[in-house]
Short mmCIF file of all heavy atoms in Angstrom, two decimals:
data_model
loop_
_atom_site.label_atom_id
_atom_site.label_comp_id
_atom_site.label_asym_id
_atom_site.label_seq_id
_atom_site.Cartn_x
_atom_site.Cartn_y
_atom_site.Cartn_z
N MET A 29 102.47 104.96 121.81
CA MET A 29 101.26 105.46 121.23
C MET A 29 100.54 104.35 120.53
O MET A 29 101.07 103.69 119.69
CB MET A 29 101.47 106.69 120.27
CG MET A 29 100.22 107.27 119.84
SD MET A 29 100.44 108.99 119.20
CE MET A 29 100.66 109.88 120.59
N ALA A 30 99.24 104.21 120.79
CA ALA A 30 98.43 103.09 120.14
C ALA A 30 98.01 103.43 118.73
O ALA A 30 97.64 104.48 118.51
CB ALA A 30 97.24 102.73 121.03
N TYR A 31 98.03 102.38 117.94
CA TYR A 31 97.61 102.65 116.51
C TYR A 31 97.21 101.29 115.93
O TYR A 31 97.36 100.23 116.52
CB TYR A 31 98.71 103.14 115.70
CG TYR A 31 99.93 102.25 115.49
CD1 TYR A 31 99.94 101.34 114.40
CD2 TYR A 31 100.91 102.15 116.38
CE1 TYR A 31 101.05 100.48 114.20
CE2 TYR A 31 102.07 101.21 116.25
CZ TYR A 31 101.98 100.39 115.15
OH TYR A 31 102.98 99.55 114.88
N THR A 32 96.42 101.40 114.87
CA THR A 32 96.10 100.28 114.01
C THR A 32 96.62 100.54 112.65
O THR A 32 96.88 101.65 112.21
CB THR A 32 94.54 100.13 113.99
OG1 THR A 32 93.98 101.22 113.45
CG2 THR A 32 94.02 99.70 115.35
N ALA A 33 96.81 99.43 111.86
CA ALA A 33 97.19 99.53 110.49
C ALA A 33 96.10 99.91 109.58
O ALA A 33 95.04 99.30 109.58
CB ALA A 33 97.93 98.31 110.00
N GLY A 34 96.26 100.89 108.73
CA GLY A 34 95.25 101.21 107.61
C GLY A 34 95.29 100.14 106.51
O GLY A 34 96.16 99.23 106.57
N ARG A 35 94.49 100.35 105.49
CA ARG A 35 94.51 99.31 104.39
C ARG A 35 95.75 99.31 103.64
O ARG A 35 96.10 98.32 103.12
CB ARG A 35 93.31 99.78 103.49
CG ARG A 35 91.96 99.34 104.13
CD ARG A 35 90.81 99.73 103.34
NE ARG A 35 90.83 99.30 101.94
CZ ARG A 35 89.95 99.72 101.00
NH1 ARG A 35 89.02 100.49 101.32
NH2 ARG A 35 90.14 99.32 99.79
N THR A 36 96.54 100.42 103.58
CA THR A 36 97.81 100.49 102.95
C THR A 36 98.95 99.97 103.82
O THR A 36 100.12 99.82 103.48
CB THR A 36 98.21 101.81 102.44
OG1 THR A 36 98.42 102.75 103.63
CG2 THR A 36 97.11 102.39 101.48
N GLY A 37 98.59 99.76 105.14
CA GLY A 37 99.64 99.35 106.12
C GLY A 37 100.19 100.54 106.87
O GLY A 37 100.93 100.33 107.80
N ALA A 38 99.80 101.77 106.51
CA ALA A 38 100.25 103.00 107.28
C ALA A 38 99.63 102.94 108.65
O ALA A 38 98.49 102.57 108.77
CB ALA A 38 99.81 104.19 106.50
N PRO A 39 100.32 103.48 109.65
CA PRO A 39 99.74 103.57 111.02
C PRO A 39 98.62 104.62 111.12
O PRO A 39 98.85 105.68 110.60
CB PRO A 39 100.96 103.87 111.95
CG PRO A 39 101.84 104.56 110.95
CD PRO A 39 101.74 103.96 109.64
N ILE A 40 97.49 104.30 111.85
CA ILE A 40 96.48 105.26 111.99
C ILE A 40 96.40 105.32 113.56
O ILE A 40 96.10 104.37 114.30
CB ILE A 40 95.18 104.81 111.53
CG1 ILE A 40 95.22 104.69 109.95
CG2 ILE A 40 94.05 105.74 111.88
CD1 ILE A 40 94.01 104.01 109.26
N LEU A 41 96.78 106.51 114.19
CA LEU A 41 96.73 106.74 115.58
C LEU A 41 95.33 106.60 116.18
O LEU A 41 94.38 107.19 115.59
CB LEU A 41 97.32 108.11 115.91
CG LEU A 41 98.72 108.35 115.33
CD1 LEU A 41 99.15 109.78 115.66
CD2 LEU A 41 99.75 107.38 115.90
N ASP A 42 95.25 105.81 117.21
CA ASP A 42 93.94 105.58 117.87
C ASP A 42 93.25 106.87 118.34
O ASP A 42 91.99 106.96 118.27
CB ASP A 42 94.06 104.65 119.03
CG ASP A 42 94.34 103.18 118.55
OD1 ASP A 42 94.24 102.90 117.36
OD2 ASP A 42 94.65 102.37 119.41
N ASP A 43 94.00 107.94 118.77
CA ASP A 43 93.43 109.10 119.29
C ASP A 43 93.27 110.15 118.22
O ASP A 43 92.90 111.31 118.61
CB ASP A 43 94.15 109.58 120.50
CG ASP A 43 94.10 108.70 121.69
OD1 ASP A 43 93.10 108.03 121.76
OD2 ASP A 43 95.01 108.75 122.52
N ALA A 44 93.58 110.06 116.90
CA ALA A 44 93.46 111.06 115.94
C ALA A 44 92.02 111.31 115.68
O ALA A 44 91.17 110.52 115.72
CB ALA A 44 94.16 110.53 114.67
N LEU A 45 91.75 112.58 115.44
CA LEU A 45 90.46 113.11 115.18
C LEU A 45 90.11 112.74 113.62
O LEU A 45 88.85 112.60 113.33
CB LEU A 45 90.26 114.55 115.27
CG LEU A 45 90.38 115.06 116.79
CD1 LEU A 45 90.22 116.63 116.83
CD2 LEU A 45 89.39 114.43 117.68
N ALA A 46 91.05 112.63 112.81
CA ALA A 46 90.74 112.22 111.48
C ALA A 46 91.99 111.59 110.85
O ALA A 46 93.13 111.72 111.36
CB ALA A 46 90.35 113.49 110.70
N PHE A 47 91.76 110.80 109.73
CA PHE A 47 92.89 110.21 109.01
C PHE A 47 92.46 110.06 107.49
O PHE A 47 91.38 110.12 107.20
CB PHE A 47 93.36 108.86 109.58
CG PHE A 47 92.21 107.79 109.30
CD1 PHE A 47 92.51 106.99 108.11
CD2 PHE A 47 91.25 107.50 110.17
CE1 PHE A 47 91.57 105.99 107.90
CE2 PHE A 47 90.33 106.50 109.88
CZ PHE A 47 90.50 105.73 108.68
N VAL A 48 93.56 110.16 106.74
CA VAL A 48 93.39 109.86 105.32
C VAL A 48 94.54 108.88 104.95
O VAL A 48 95.74 109.20 105.14
CB VAL A 48 93.62 111.01 104.52
CG1 VAL A 48 93.43 110.83 103.01
CG2 VAL A 48 92.57 112.12 104.85
N ASP A 49 94.19 107.73 104.49
CA ASP A 49 95.23 106.72 104.09
C ASP A 49 95.19 106.68 102.55
O ASP A 49 94.25 106.42 101.86
CB ASP A 49 94.76 105.31 104.67
CG ASP A 49 95.75 104.31 104.57
OD1 ASP A 49 96.95 104.60 104.19
OD2 ASP A 49 95.44 103.12 104.81
N CYS A 50 96.41 107.06 101.98
CA CYS A 50 96.57 107.15 100.50
C CYS A 50 97.60 106.27 99.95
O CYS A 50 98.61 105.88 100.56
CB CYS A 50 96.85 108.68 100.13
SG CYS A 50 95.61 109.88 100.57
N GLU A 51 97.39 106.02 98.62
CA GLU A 51 98.45 105.31 97.75
C GLU A 51 99.09 106.44 96.95
O GLU A 51 98.35 107.26 96.29
CB GLU A 51 97.76 104.37 96.92
CG GLU A 51 98.57 103.67 95.90
CD GLU A 51 97.78 102.84 94.98
OE1 GLU A 51 96.55 103.10 94.84
OE2 GLU A 51 98.38 101.98 94.30
N THR A 52 100.39 106.58 96.96
CA THR A 52 101.15 107.52 96.23
C THR A 52 100.96 107.22 94.71
O THR A 52 101.28 106.17 94.30
CB THR A 52 102.64 107.63 96.62
OG1 THR A 52 102.67 107.93 98.03
CG2 THR A 52 103.39 108.71 95.85
N ILE A 53 100.52 108.24 94.03
CA ILE A 53 100.38 108.12 92.48
C ILE A 53 101.50 108.78 91.81
O ILE A 53 101.91 108.35 90.82
CB ILE A 53 98.95 108.82 92.08
CG1 ILE A 53 97.83 108.09 92.81
CG2 ILE A 53 98.81 108.80 90.65
CD1 ILE A 53 97.77 106.55 92.44
N ASP A 54 101.89 109.99 92.33
CA ASP A 54 102.96 110.81 91.60
C ASP A 54 103.68 111.75 92.59
O ASP A 54 103.04 112.03 93.66
CB ASP A 54 102.26 111.62 90.42
CG ASP A 54 103.27 111.96 89.33
OD1 ASP A 54 104.45 111.65 89.48
OD2 ASP A 54 102.85 112.59 88.38
N GLU A 55 104.79 112.18 92.20
CA GLU A 55 105.51 113.12 92.95
C GLU A 55 105.99 114.27 92.01
O GLU A 55 106.52 114.00 90.92
CB GLU A 55 106.80 112.45 93.66
CG GLU A 55 106.37 111.52 94.70
CD GLU A 55 107.59 110.90 95.46
OE1 GLU A 55 108.71 111.21 95.00
OE2 GLU A 55 107.44 110.02 96.25
N HIS A 56 105.98 115.55 92.50
CA HIS A 56 106.47 116.63 91.66
C HIS A 56 107.37 117.45 92.51
O HIS A 56 107.06 117.83 93.63
CB HIS A 56 105.11 117.57 91.17
CG HIS A 56 104.13 116.82 90.49
ND1 HIS A 56 104.20 116.57 89.13
CD2 HIS A 56 102.95 116.20 90.85
CE1 HIS A 56 103.11 115.93 88.75
NE2 HIS A 56 102.40 115.66 89.85
N TYR A 57 108.56 117.69 91.94
CA TYR A 57 109.57 118.38 92.66
C TYR A 57 109.39 119.90 92.44
O TYR A 57 109.20 120.28 91.22
CB TYR A 57 110.95 117.92 92.24
CG TYR A 57 111.13 116.52 92.66
CD1 TYR A 57 110.87 115.41 91.93
CD2 TYR A 57 111.63 116.25 93.92
CE1 TYR A 57 110.94 114.11 92.29
CE2 TYR A 57 111.81 114.91 94.45
CZ TYR A 57 111.51 113.86 93.59
OH TYR A 57 111.59 112.64 93.97
N ALA A 58 109.37 120.68 93.46
CA ALA A 58 109.15 122.10 93.41
C ALA A 58 110.11 122.85 94.31
O ALA A 58 109.85 123.09 95.43
CB ALA A 58 107.69 122.43 93.75
N GLY A 59 111.28 123.12 93.83
CA GLY A 59 112.31 123.67 94.64
C GLY A 59 112.74 122.76 95.76
O GLY A 59 113.23 121.69 95.48
N ASP A 60 112.66 123.20 96.98
CA ASP A 60 112.97 122.38 98.10
C ASP A 60 111.86 121.60 98.71
O ASP A 60 111.86 121.17 99.80
CB ASP A 60 113.75 123.19 99.22
CG ASP A 60 112.78 124.22 99.83
OD1 ASP A 60 111.68 124.50 99.19
OD2 ASP A 60 113.16 124.88 100.83
N HIS A 61 110.75 121.54 97.87
CA HIS A 61 109.56 120.68 98.32
C HIS A 61 109.17 119.54 97.37
O HIS A 61 109.63 119.66 96.25
CB HIS A 61 108.32 121.72 98.35
CG HIS A 61 108.38 122.64 99.49
ND1 HIS A 61 109.23 123.80 99.41
CD2 HIS A 61 107.66 122.75 100.68
CE1 HIS A 61 109.01 124.49 100.53
NE2 HIS A 61 108.08 123.87 101.23
N ILE A 62 108.45 118.64 97.82
CA ILE A 62 107.98 117.57 96.98
C ILE A 62 106.47 117.58 97.15
O ILE A 62 106.05 117.47 98.23
CB ILE A 62 108.55 116.13 97.28
CG1 ILE A 62 110.09 116.19 97.16
CG2 ILE A 62 107.93 115.09 96.38
CD1 ILE A 62 110.71 114.90 97.70
N ILE A 63 105.73 117.75 96.03
CA ILE A 63 104.25 117.61 96.06
C ILE A 63 103.89 116.24 95.80
O ILE A 63 104.24 115.72 94.68
CB ILE A 63 103.70 118.71 95.00
CG1 ILE A 63 104.11 120.19 95.35
CG2 ILE A 63 102.12 118.61 95.02
CD1 ILE A 63 103.82 121.12 94.28
N VAL A 64 103.21 115.63 96.70
CA VAL A 64 102.82 114.20 96.42
C VAL A 64 101.39 114.14 96.21
O VAL A 64 100.54 114.69 96.78
CB VAL A 64 103.08 113.42 97.84
CG1 VAL A 64 102.61 111.96 97.68
CG2 VAL A 64 104.58 113.49 98.23
N VAL A 65 101.04 113.44 95.03
CA VAL A 65 99.61 113.27 94.75
C VAL A 65 99.26 111.82 95.09
O VAL A 65 99.95 110.93 94.78
CB VAL A 65 99.49 113.42 93.13
CG1 VAL A 65 98.05 113.18 92.74
CG2 VAL A 65 99.96 114.81 92.74
N GLY A 66 98.19 111.70 95.80
CA GLY A 66 97.77 110.42 96.27
C GLY A 66 96.27 110.08 95.97
O GLY A 66 95.48 110.95 95.72
N ARG A 67 96.01 108.71 95.91
CA ARG A 67 94.68 108.21 95.71
C ARG A 67 94.24 107.79 97.11
O ARG A 67 94.86 107.05 97.80
CB ARG A 67 94.66 107.05 94.74
CG ARG A 67 93.29 106.32 94.69
CD ARG A 67 93.27 105.26 93.68
NE ARG A 67 93.41 105.73 92.32
CZ ARG A 67 94.40 105.35 91.39
NH1 ARG A 67 95.33 104.46 91.84
NH2 ARG A 67 94.44 105.88 90.23
N VAL A 68 93.00 108.35 97.59
CA VAL A 68 92.47 108.02 98.84
C VAL A 68 92.05 106.61 98.82
O VAL A 68 91.19 106.23 97.91
CB VAL A 68 91.42 108.93 99.23
CG1 VAL A 68 90.78 108.58 100.59
CG2 VAL A 68 92.00 110.45 99.40
N ILE A 69 92.51 105.87 99.80
CA ILE A 69 92.14 104.36 99.85
C ILE A 69 91.07 104.21 100.97
O ILE A 69 90.13 103.47 100.90
CB ILE A 69 93.26 103.49 100.14
CG1 ILE A 69 94.37 103.66 99.06
CG2 ILE A 69 92.90 102.01 100.36
CD1 ILE A 69 93.90 103.18 97.64
N GLU A 70 91.35 105.00 102.10
CA GLU A 70 90.39 104.90 103.28
C GLU A 70 90.54 106.19 104.02
O GLU A 70 91.57 106.89 104.02
CB GLU A 70 90.94 103.76 104.19
CG GLU A 70 90.13 103.56 105.42
CD GLU A 70 90.79 102.37 106.24
OE1 GLU A 70 91.83 102.01 106.05
OE2 GLU A 70 89.99 101.94 107.11
N LEU A 71 89.37 106.65 104.62
CA LEU A 71 89.40 107.84 105.46
C LEU A 71 88.39 107.58 106.58
O LEU A 71 87.54 106.80 106.46
CB LEU A 71 89.23 109.09 104.60
CG LEU A 71 87.87 109.25 103.81
CD1 LEU A 71 86.78 109.75 104.54
CD2 LEU A 71 88.20 110.14 102.61
N GLY A 72 88.54 108.55 107.60
CA GLY A 72 87.59 108.46 108.68
C GLY A 72 87.83 109.64 109.58
O GLY A 72 88.80 110.32 109.48
N TYR A 73 86.91 109.83 110.53
CA TYR A 73 86.92 110.92 111.47
C TYR A 73 86.20 110.52 112.71
O TYR A 73 85.35 109.73 112.72
CB TYR A 73 86.35 112.16 110.88
CG TYR A 73 84.91 112.09 110.55
CD1 TYR A 73 83.96 112.52 111.42
CD2 TYR A 73 84.50 111.63 109.33
CE1 TYR A 73 82.57 112.44 111.15
CE2 TYR A 73 83.18 111.55 108.96
CZ TYR A 73 82.21 111.90 109.87
OH TYR A 73 80.96 111.83 109.60
N ALA A 74 86.57 111.30 113.77
CA ALA A 74 85.81 111.07 115.14
C ALA A 74 84.64 111.96 115.11
O ALA A 74 84.70 113.11 114.59
CB ALA A 74 86.76 111.41 116.30
N SER A 75 83.59 111.63 115.80
CA SER A 75 82.37 112.45 115.87
C SER A 75 82.55 113.50 116.95
O SER A 75 81.86 114.54 116.92
CB SER A 75 81.24 111.65 116.22
OG SER A 75 81.39 110.97 117.46
N GLU A 76 83.62 113.47 117.83
CA GLU A 76 83.78 114.48 118.79
C GLU A 76 85.27 114.73 119.06
O GLU A 76 86.12 113.86 118.69
CB GLU A 76 83.07 114.11 120.18
CG GLU A 76 81.61 114.01 120.16
CD GLU A 76 81.00 113.69 121.46
OE1 GLU A 76 81.82 113.87 122.46
OE2 GLU A 76 79.86 113.33 121.56
N GLY A 77 85.66 115.81 119.54
CA GLY A 77 87.02 116.15 119.92
C GLY A 77 87.38 117.61 119.56
O GLY A 77 86.62 118.31 118.94
N ARG A 78 88.58 117.97 120.12
CA ARG A 78 89.07 119.31 119.85
C ARG A 78 90.34 119.22 119.10
O ARG A 78 91.24 118.58 119.62
CB ARG A 78 89.22 120.04 121.16
CG ARG A 78 87.88 120.27 121.91
CD ARG A 78 88.10 120.89 123.28
NE ARG A 78 88.99 122.06 123.06
CZ ARG A 78 89.84 122.44 124.19
NH1 ARG A 78 89.88 121.81 125.21
NH2 ARG A 78 90.48 123.51 124.00
N PRO A 79 90.47 119.84 117.91
CA PRO A 79 91.68 119.70 117.08
C PRO A 79 92.72 120.60 117.72
O PRO A 79 92.61 121.62 118.26
CB PRO A 79 91.24 120.24 115.79
CG PRO A 79 90.15 121.29 116.02
CD PRO A 79 89.42 120.68 117.24
N LEU A 80 94.06 120.18 117.51
CA LEU A 80 95.27 120.95 117.82
C LEU A 80 95.52 121.75 116.59
O LEU A 80 95.74 121.16 115.48
CB LEU A 80 96.34 120.00 118.26
CG LEU A 80 97.69 120.65 118.60
CD1 LEU A 80 97.48 121.56 119.79
CD2 LEU A 80 98.73 119.62 118.79
N LEU A 81 95.80 122.97 116.74
CA LEU A 81 96.09 123.91 115.46
C LEU A 81 97.45 124.52 115.78
O LEU A 81 98.01 124.73 116.82
CB LEU A 81 95.04 125.01 115.44
CG LEU A 81 93.66 124.63 115.38
CD1 LEU A 81 92.74 125.74 115.39
CD2 LEU A 81 93.36 123.85 114.06
N PHE A 82 98.07 124.79 114.62
CA PHE A 82 99.37 125.45 114.58
C PHE A 82 99.13 126.79 113.87
O PHE A 82 98.68 126.83 112.73
CB PHE A 82 100.42 124.66 113.80
CG PHE A 82 101.77 125.39 113.81
CD1 PHE A 82 102.64 125.22 115.07
CD2 PHE A 82 102.28 125.94 112.82
CE1 PHE A 82 103.80 125.89 115.07
CE2 PHE A 82 103.43 126.64 112.81
CZ PHE A 82 104.26 126.53 113.96
N TYR A 83 99.31 127.90 114.43
CA TYR A 83 99.00 129.21 113.85
C TYR A 83 99.97 130.22 114.43
O TYR A 83 100.30 130.36 115.59
CB TYR A 83 97.57 129.57 114.33
CG TYR A 83 97.18 130.99 113.80
CD1 TYR A 83 97.02 131.21 112.43
CD2 TYR A 83 97.02 132.07 114.62
CE1 TYR A 83 96.59 132.46 111.97
CE2 TYR A 83 96.58 133.27 114.21
CZ TYR A 83 96.39 133.48 112.81
OH TYR A 83 96.03 134.71 112.37
N ARG A 84 100.67 130.95 113.41
CA ARG A 84 101.66 132.06 113.77
C ARG A 84 102.75 131.54 114.77
O ARG A 84 103.09 132.22 115.73
CB ARG A 84 100.98 133.27 114.33
CG ARG A 84 100.12 133.91 113.30
CD ARG A 84 99.62 135.30 113.81
NE ARG A 84 98.88 135.97 112.72
CZ ARG A 84 98.37 137.15 112.84
NH1 ARG A 84 98.47 137.90 113.94
NH2 ARG A 84 97.76 137.66 111.80
N GLY A 85 103.20 130.31 114.42
CA GLY A 85 104.36 129.86 115.28
C GLY A 85 104.14 129.12 116.56
O GLY A 85 104.96 128.90 117.27
N GLY A 86 102.76 128.98 116.77
CA GLY A 86 102.48 128.24 118.06
C GLY A 86 101.27 127.38 117.88
O GLY A 86 100.54 127.39 117.04
N TYR A 87 101.19 126.53 118.94
CA TYR A 87 100.05 125.52 119.03
C TYR A 87 98.96 126.06 119.90
O TYR A 87 99.25 126.78 120.89
CB TYR A 87 100.47 124.23 119.54
CG TYR A 87 101.42 123.51 118.52
CD1 TYR A 87 102.76 123.58 118.70
CD2 TYR A 87 100.88 122.71 117.51
CE1 TYR A 87 103.54 122.92 117.72
CE2 TYR A 87 101.71 122.10 116.59
CZ TYR A 87 103.07 122.14 116.70
OH TYR A 87 103.84 121.46 115.83
N GLY A 88 97.70 125.76 119.59
CA GLY A 88 96.54 126.10 120.38
C GLY A 88 95.37 125.24 120.07
O GLY A 88 95.52 124.32 119.26
N ARG A 89 94.30 125.56 120.72
CA ARG A 89 93.01 124.81 120.49
C ARG A 89 91.98 125.75 119.86
O ARG A 89 91.99 126.90 120.07
CB ARG A 89 92.47 124.28 121.79
CG ARG A 89 93.47 123.25 122.50
CD ARG A 89 93.35 121.92 121.79
NE ARG A 89 94.19 120.93 122.50
CZ ARG A 89 94.23 119.64 122.19
NH1 ARG A 89 93.42 119.25 121.17
NH2 ARG A 89 94.95 118.85 122.78
N PHE A 90 91.03 125.15 119.18
CA PHE A 90 90.01 125.84 118.58
C PHE A 90 88.71 125.57 119.38
O PHE A 90 88.37 124.50 119.47
CB PHE A 90 89.72 125.34 117.14
CG PHE A 90 88.66 126.10 116.41
CD1 PHE A 90 88.76 127.40 115.96
CD2 PHE A 90 87.46 125.40 116.17
CE1 PHE A 90 87.69 128.07 115.29
CE2 PHE A 90 86.40 126.12 115.54
CZ PHE A 90 86.55 127.35 115.12
N ASP A 91 88.17 126.63 119.96
CA ASP A 91 87.02 126.58 120.77
C ASP A 91 85.87 127.26 120.00
O ASP A 91 85.93 128.37 119.55
CB ASP A 91 87.09 127.24 122.16
CG ASP A 91 88.12 126.47 122.98
OD1 ASP A 91 88.04 125.28 123.02
OD2 ASP A 91 88.95 127.09 123.64
N VAL A 92 84.64 126.60 120.05
CA VAL A 92 83.47 127.16 119.35
C VAL A 92 82.67 127.96 120.32
O VAL A 92 82.54 127.64 121.45
CB VAL A 92 82.65 125.99 118.82
CG1 VAL A 92 81.45 126.62 117.95
CG2 VAL A 92 83.49 125.12 117.85
#
């Protein structure tokens, strides 16, 4: 899968509809989860495309 490196070095997938590249600021432990707080360094989105959604245990597309 093709990608480019974001400003933090994280991979940004070439075909992604949107991305948020963040720097981790803090972590909060909540049971069996970790809540990560981040500072947005870079973000972007595609002007066209159809998102892939996960709803009620399955994947689908959103049509307008």
Side-chain angles (χ1 to χ4, degrees):
M29 185 165 283
Y31 67 92
T32 56
R35 288 178 46 192
T36 66
I40 299 171
L41 302 178
D42 288 350
D43 292 333
L45 292 181
F47 73 91
V48 179
D49 191 9
C50 294
E51 171 187 25
T52 300
I53 299 301
D54 203 359
E55 296 180 357
H56 302 278
Y57 294 90
D60 61 348
H61 290 74
I62 300 174
I63 300 167
V64 178
V65 178
R67 175 180 290 122
V68 175
I69 303 298
E70 181 181 17
L71 56 88
Y73 64 93
S75 59
E76 294 184 16
R78 293 176 50 211
L80 178 64
L81 302 174
F82 185 78
Y83 178 67
R84 292 189 176 183
Y87 289 98
R89 297 282 182 177
F90 179 73
D91 292 317
V92 183

